[in-house]
Amino acid sequence: MTTLKQLYTLQEVDLDLDGVNGQIAEVERELEGRLSLDKIEESLEQARADLQQIQSSHRELQLETGSQRERSTSLEEQLYGGAVENPRDLEALQLEANNVRHTLEQMDVRLLEMSLQAEDARTRIAGLEQHLADTQSAWDTRQAELWQQLEQLSDRQEALNKDRNSLASCVEPVELTRYEGLRRSKGGQALARVVRGLCQACRMSLPSQHLQRVRNGRQTVLCNNCGRILLPG
């Protein structure tokens, strides 16, 4: 015959096992996470792509600026070389030369802005690379700790499973089925002690007839509020 003490001992082991399983799940999630490293690597990749784009645009603008300087030099030579004497043609050349100089000024400003942007990007990349190295070092240390913790928890899990199987084998099948059903529906706690007339699971007061039956211990008594199996405190 299965006793309440047997079921309560089984529950204690099951609750310990629940806790260990939960800790194992947390450790495994952390080992698989790498969230901090992934975010830094993503930011670093984006910063490098931004720098590459700035440098590419800078090279293109330099080439275009070079062409405009050559054009400006050519216009200056035409204006002051004496080959063009017609006032209308000279006026047109002067207008075009002014436009080219203005364009060059804008290009020089843009080139300077790009140089500053590139410098900022390189600074950001250097900072991210250092941050990544520091975070990687910390993660390597943490990872070693997690693997050690997981090994210890797995040993504890194995020992508890052996205890659990041994205890469960001594419980009548009908009682074991009811116990496991209550554990599933009651958040892992199928049994509760009664202390000073209160169910220690739901903290509700029990009728006097329930209390008497619990004290007698001759039959299984369920809490009239939460439905758990009751046993004396």
Side-chain angles (χ1 to χ4, degrees):
M1 177 180 176
T2 302
T3 65
L4 291 178
K5 184 177 180 180
Q6 286 177 301
L7 287 177
Y8 189 78
T9 302
L10 177 60
Q11 176 174 273
E12 291 293 286
V13 173
D14 277 336
L15 290 173
D16 284 346
L17 191 55
D18 289 344
V20 169
N21 290 338
Q23 292 178 64
I24 288 175
E26 289 180 6
V27 170
E28 289 177 340
R29 278 195 298 271
E30 189 172 350
L31 281 169
E32 295 172 359
R34 294 184 79 255
L35 292 179
S36 297
L37 283 169
D38 290 342
K39 289 179 179 179
I40 298 171
E41 288 171 350
E42 183 180 342
S43 297
L44 182 56
E45 182 179 352
Q46 183 61 55
R48 286 170 174 165
D50 291 343
L51 176 59
Q52 187 175 10
Q53 179 60 47
I54 292 169
Q55 291 173 328
S56 177
S57 298
H58 190 272
R59 286 192 295 270
E60 291 176 2
L61 187 56
Q62 280 182 317
L63 291 174
E64 187 178 350
T65 300
S67 297
Q68 288 295 323
R69 292 194 193 285
E70 291 177 2
R71 178 59 180 161
S72 179
T73 300
S74 175
L75 290 170
E76 293 292 332
E77 290 174 351
Q78 293 179 61
L79 275 171
Y80 303 112
V84 179
E85 297 180 353
N86 187 294
R88 183 173 295 179
D89 292 339
L90 286 171
E91 184 178 355
L93 283 172
Q94 185 64 61
L95 180 61
E96 185 177 358
N98 291 340
N99 288 337
V100 170
R101 279 196 298 271
H102 180 67
T103 299
L104 279 170
E105 289 173 357
Q106 291 180 320
M107 287 181 169
D108 286 338
V109 170
R110 184 60 185 144
L111 283 170
L112 178 59
E113 291 175 347
M114 286 183 176
S115 295
L116 294 174
Q117 289 174 354
E119 184 60 31
D120 288 343
R122 281 188 284 269
T123 300
R124 174 168 170 72
I125 288 171
L128 286 170
E129 288 175 340
Q130 184 60 54
H131 186 28
L132 179 60
D134 293 342
T135 304
Q136 181 67 62
S137 177
W139 167 248
D140 290 341
T141 300
R142 177 58 178 159
Q143 192 175 37
E145 294 172 351
L146 288 170
W147 280 117
Q148 182 178 10
Q149 185 178 351
L150 184 60
E151 183 178 357
Q152 294 171 349
L153 287 169
S154 296
D155 290 343
R156 176 65 176 156
Q157 182 189 52
E158 183 178 357
L160 286 170
N161 274 322
K162 288 181 180 178
D163 290 344
R164 204 270 175 193
N165 292 336
S166 177
L167 289 167
S169 67
C170 298
V171 177
E172 295 177 7
V174 173
E175 293 292 335
L176 185 61
T177 298
R178 179 169 63 173
Y179 162 79
E180 291 177 340
L182 281 171
R183 259 182 52 83
R184 284 192 296 271
S185 63
K186 303 299 179 181
Q189 187 176 358
L191 291 86
R193 289 193 177 277
V194 177
V195 178
R196 296 179 181 176
L198 297 178
C199 169
Q200 295 302 292
C202 65
R203 308 299 297 178
M204 295 298 291
S205 179
L206 300 170
S208 57
Q209 60 182 13
H210 271 58
L211 292 174
Q212 187 60 44
R213 289 163 58 197
V214 170
R215 293 191 187 101
N216 290 337
R218 297 174 183 174
Q219 62 184 113
T220 300
V221 182
L222 303 181
C223 175
N224 60 302
N225 180 63
C226 68
R228 292 180 173 86
I229 300 172
L230 299 173
L231 68 161

